[in-house]
């Protein structure tokens, strides 16, 4: 009969259950073998009959043993070889995969956001209020919470010149989710995307299985002449601050693009308004959507570039035709948590978001000035685009500078600094660099640039 050495840290019946379970797994008790009676086993172990009954009941519930009327308990016919032994600790069975994270000494990525001016106290208060409000929400809205959509309507009118209503807005948890939702709504879409532009492979993955065509970007932005030569019926564009060239699409090109979409009611333009709210000279450029007379421009926006990457909240302004289709797709939920939506809604409703945008506009303008003044000290470097967005585009004269030597400096100093060629399918424009404003502190900008453009990189 099985003997058990009890400890004082765990209930007796659990220790009996665990030892008997292990004995069955190890083959001490064989399939169909009868187990000791309650009384005899209790007397053997020196415990109460009820303690043994509880242990047997647990084994019975888990299927290790069976009960036969008037005969007792027997080991069931189980495949003990496929049961994990309790001798293995949870640490032995759980494997944690770690991924390498690159830490840069200077991060000039165009996607970085400067968090040093974030009004943390105000945001905490908005989060506290948002939590209280979220607890009262019994049925979250599949297209986003009303309070947030109401604030976005105000924001779009004030900052982007777009008049819309709460009903047209759908809240999502990011740009990819917004595209994925739209991809479900279109009928046989063929997409035209900017080249250079955001990752072509990324677009193909999100928009699968539909066709994605690269459309050239010229000196005026997305080339309508080239898209007209294709079967594209959905163009994805960044007209207010083309990524990565920084080109702002002029009115004439905008009108031609709108004329293209008007020619066919089944065509659409997806306007990605990712960072154009920041404008450092002159008035902000209004969104292409503000010129849309036929309701065929779909405006996408995000708060991750305006507040921080932790605020993974985006929005779509849908045309009425797609709004009706979206109502039939309500089972697909792309919205972030109610708590995060109401946190942002409170932050906006109390005017803190507007204050933050104004503060960051001044902060980025100041950092940009420091950067430009420093670049003026280097020969053969021209600032190409500087008036908006979260990065500068500079052109390095390859007749004066050794581009390979510059890249070696970037690598040796643990920097992240990209060129337009990173985003071009043909890897063109390797002498055009993107200097992000968000990832390097203002007082370190000059020293960082001096480490990149050293004298030994100059061609004598």
């Amino acid at each position: 009969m099985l003997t058990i050495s009890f400890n004082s840290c765990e209930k007796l019946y659990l220790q009996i259950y665990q030892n008997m379970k292990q004995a069955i797994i190890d083959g001490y008790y064989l399939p169909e073998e009868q187990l000791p009676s309650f009384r005899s086993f209790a007397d053997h172990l020196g415990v109460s009959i009820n303690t043994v009954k509880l242990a047997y009941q647990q084994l019975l519930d888990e299927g290790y043993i069976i009960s036969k009327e008037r005969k007792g308990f027997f080991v069931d016919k189980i495949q003990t070889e496929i049961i994990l032994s309790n001798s293995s600790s949870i640490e032995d069975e759980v494997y944690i995969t770690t991924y390498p994270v690159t830490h840069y000494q200077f991060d000039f990525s165009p996607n970085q956001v400067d968090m040093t001016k974030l009004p943390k106290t105000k945001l905490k208060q908005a989060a506290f209020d948002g939590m209280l409000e979220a607890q009262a929400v019994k049925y979250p809205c599949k297209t986003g919470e009303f309070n947030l959509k109401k604030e976005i309507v105000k924001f779009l009118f004030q900052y982007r010149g777009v008049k819309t209503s709460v009903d047209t807005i759908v809240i999502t948890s990011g740009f990819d989710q917004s595209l994925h939702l739209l991809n479900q709504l279109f009928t046989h879409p063929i997409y035209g995307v900017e080249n250079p532009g955001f990752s072509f492979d990324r677009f193909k993955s999100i928009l699968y299985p539909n066709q994605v065509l690269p459309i050239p970007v010229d000196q005026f932005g997305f080339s309508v002449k080239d898209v007209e030569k294709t079967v594209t019926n959905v163009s994805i564009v960044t007209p207010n601050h083309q990524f990565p060239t920084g080109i702002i699409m002029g009115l004439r090109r905008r009108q031609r693009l709108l004329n293209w979409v008007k020619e066919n009611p089944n065509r659409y333009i997806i306007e990605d308004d990712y960072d154009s709210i920041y404008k450092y000279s002159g008035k902000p450029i209004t969104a292409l959507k503000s010129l849309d007379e036929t309701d065929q421009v779909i405006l996408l926006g995000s708060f991750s570039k305006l507040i921080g990457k932790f605020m993974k909240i985006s929005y779509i302004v849908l045309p009425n035709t797609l709004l009706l289709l979206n109502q039939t797709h309500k089972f697909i939920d792309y919205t972030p948590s109610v708590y995060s939506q109401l946190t942002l809604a409170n932050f906006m409703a109390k005017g803190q978001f507007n204050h933050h945008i104004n503060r960051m506009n001044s902060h980025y303008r100041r950092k940009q000035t420091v950067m430009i003044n420093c670049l003026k000290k280097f020969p053969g470097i021209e600032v190409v685009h500087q008036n908006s967005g979260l990065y500068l585009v500079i052109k390095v004269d390859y007749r004066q500078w050794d581009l390979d030597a510059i890249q070696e400096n970037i690598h040796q100093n643990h920097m992240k600094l990209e060129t337009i060629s990173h985003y071009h399918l043909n890897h063109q424009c390797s002498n055009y660099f993107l200097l992000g404003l968000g990832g390097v502190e203002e007082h370190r900008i000059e020293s960082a640039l001096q480490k990149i453009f050293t004298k030994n990189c100059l061609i004598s």
Side-chain angles (χ1 to χ4, degrees):
M1 196 176 295
L2 185 67
T3 300
I4 300 173
S5 299
F6 295 107
N7 63 63
S8 58
C9 300
E10 197 171 19
K11 293 180 179 179
L12 293 177
Y13 89 90
L14 284 177
Q15 294 182 63
I16 296 171
Y17 149 74
Q18 289 165 354
N19 278 271
M20 291 196 72
K21 175 182 171 182
Q22 193 62 49
I24 292 170
I25 292 171
D26 292 342
Y28 181 87
Y29 290 116
L30 300 175
E32 299 185 303
E33 182 178 343
Q34 186 173 8
L35 297 178
S37 66
F38 292 150
R39 184 176 297 279
S40 64
F41 201 26
D43 289 343
H44 173 72
L45 295 176
V47 298
S48 70
I49 292 176
N50 282 338
T51 299
V52 174
K53 281 184 178 180
L54 285 172
Y56 275 40
Q57 186 61 50
Q58 186 65 36
L59 290 167
L60 187 67
D61 290 343
E62 294 187 14
Y64 286 94
I65 63 176
I66 58 173
S67 174
K68 294 183 180 180
E69 191 174 357
R70 296 179 183 175
K71 291 185 178 180
F73 293 90
F74 297 80
V75 177
D76 202 358
K77 297 176 181 179
I78 57 175
Q79 295 176 273
T80 57
E81 66 272 10
I82 65 172
I83 301 174
L84 287 174
S85 171
N86 272 351
S87 62
S88 300
S89 66
I90 189 66
E91 288 80 7
D92 295 330
E93 307 303 334
V94 176
Y95 298 92
I96 300 174
T97 303
T98 57
Y99 298 95
V101 178
T102 304
H103 296 283
Y104 297 102
Q105 184 178 354
F106 300 98
D107 190 348
F108 283 106
S109 167
N111 299 314
Q112 286 299 329
V113 178
D114 193 329
M115 304 288 289
T116 59
K117 301 298 180 182
L118 190 68
K120 295 182 177 64
T121 302
K122 301 295 184 182
L123 197 56
K124 284 180 182 178
Q125 184 60 52
F128 179 77
D129 295 340
M131 177 63 79
L132 295 179
E133 293 173 15
Q135 292 172 6
V137 176
K138 294 182 178 179
Y139 303 102
C141 180
K142 293 289 186 181
T143 60
E145 295 306 304
F146 176 83
N147 286 353
L148 177 57
K149 293 197 283 187
K150 181 178 66 175
E151 294 304 322
I152 290 174
V153 168
K154 297 176 187 176
F155 161 75
L156 289 173
F157 179 70
Q158 180 179 356
Y159 286 97
R160 308 307 302 127
V162 174
K163 295 180 181 179
T164 189
S165 67
V166 169
D167 294 335
T168 66
I169 293 176
V170 177
I171 307 298
T172 71
S173 54
F175 178 74
D176 291 6
Q177 286 72 24
S178 296
L179 280 186
H180 192 270
L181 183 148
L182 292 172
N183 197 38
Q184 312 306 308
L185 302 182
F186 294 133
T187 304
H188 307 302
I190 301 173
Y191 296 95
V193 300
E194 298 169 325
N195 180 37
F198 290 108
S199 171
F200 189 72
D201 289 337
R202 176 185 174 193
F203 277 125
K204 288 201 297 183
S205 175
I206 298 169
L207 303 173
Y208 179 84
N210 298 300
Q211 190 175 4
V212 181
L213 305 174
I215 307 298
V217 171
D218 61 24
Q219 60 183 328
F220 303 111
F222 184 77
S223 176
V224 182
K225 175 185 67 175
D226 285 288
V227 82
E228 289 170 342
K229 298 175 183 177
T230 71
V231 290
T232 297
N233 53 21
V234 180
S235 292
I236 304 177
V237 298
T238 53
N240 311 307
H241 188 227
Q242 200 281 326
F243 185 86
T245 64
I247 295 168
I248 297 175
M249 186 184 289
L251 180 59
R252 183 177 175 184
R253 179 62 62 89
R254 289 173 185 244
Q255 289 173 338
R256 183 168 179 179
L257 182 57
L258 290 169
N259 287 336
W260 168 83
V261 80
K262 288 178 186 177
E263 291 173 359
N264 188 328
N266 294 317
R267 287 178 180 172
Y268 290 96
I269 297 168
I270 297 176
E271 178 182 10
D272 179 11
D273 198 35
Y274 70 102
D275 76 348
S276 52
I277 194 172
Y278 293 119
K279 189 76 165 56
Y280 309 122
S281 64
K283 293 177 61 177
I285 305 298
T286 56
L288 180 68
K289 177 67 178 173
S290 66
L291 303 174
D292 180 23
E293 297 175 346
T294 55
D295 203 22
Q296 290 174 271
V297 177
I298 304 162
L299 181 63
L300 306 188
S302 172
F303 291 94
S304 61
K305 294 282 177 63
L306 305 180
I307 298 177
K309 292 184 178 181
F310 66 91
M311 190 63 74
K312 287 185 67 64
I313 296 180
S314 297
Y315 59 86
I316 310 172
V317 181
L318 281 177
N320 288 325
T321 51
L322 295 181
L323 194 62
L324 295 172
L325 285 173
N326 187 56
Q327 292 172 359
T328 67
H329 287 72
K330 282 191 174 180
F331 60 89
I332 304 175
D333 190 352
Y334 292 93
T335 57
S337 70
V338 173
Y339 164 56
S340 60
Q341 290 183 64
L342 294 179
T343 294
L344 179 56
N346 279 293
F347 190 61
M348 297 178 79
K350 293 174 182 176
Q352 296 303 323
F353 179 70
N354 287 356
H355 291 319
H356 179 61
I357 292 300
N358 292 335
R359 185 186 305 111
M360 292 309 298
N361 219 45
S362 299
H363 181 58
Y364 284 134
R365 183 187 296 113
R366 190 164 55 250
K367 292 181 78 171
Q368 180 187 253
T369 300
V370 171
M371 199 174 283
I372 291 172
N373 287 340
C374 182
L375 290 168
K376 288 178 180 177
K377 300 175 183 178
F378 304 111
I381 294 179
E382 176 189 358
V383 178
V384 182
H385 294 288
Q386 65 185 63
N387 290 325
S388 63
L390 291 174
Y391 61 93
L392 295 179
V393 181
I394 63 170
K395 179 181 179 182
V396 177
D397 189 344
Y398 55 81
R399 295 168 299 183
Q400 297 186 55
W401 292 90
D402 184 337
L403 298 181
D404 291 335
I406 290 175
Q407 289 294 345
E408 182 61 26
N409 281 348
I410 292 169
H411 175 73
Q412 290 295 331
N413 288 284
H414 306 288
M415 297 184 180
K416 184 168 186 180
L417 179 57
E418 298 173 334
T419 65
I420 289 180
S421 64
H422 284 90
Y423 301 95
H424 200 295
L425 284 175
N426 298 322
H427 304 291
Q428 297 175 9
C429 305
S430 59
N431 63 322
Y432 285 80
F433 289 80
L434 311 179
L435 286 171
L437 299 172
V440 180
E441 299 92 329
E442 183 178 335
H443 68 276
R444 301 180 71 209
I445 290 174
E446 185 169 1
S447 64
L449 292 177
Q450 287 173 346
K451 292 177 186 293
I452 299 169
F453 302 108
T454 54
K455 290 182 179 180
N456 65 303
C457 295
L458 284 167
I459 299 172
S460 52

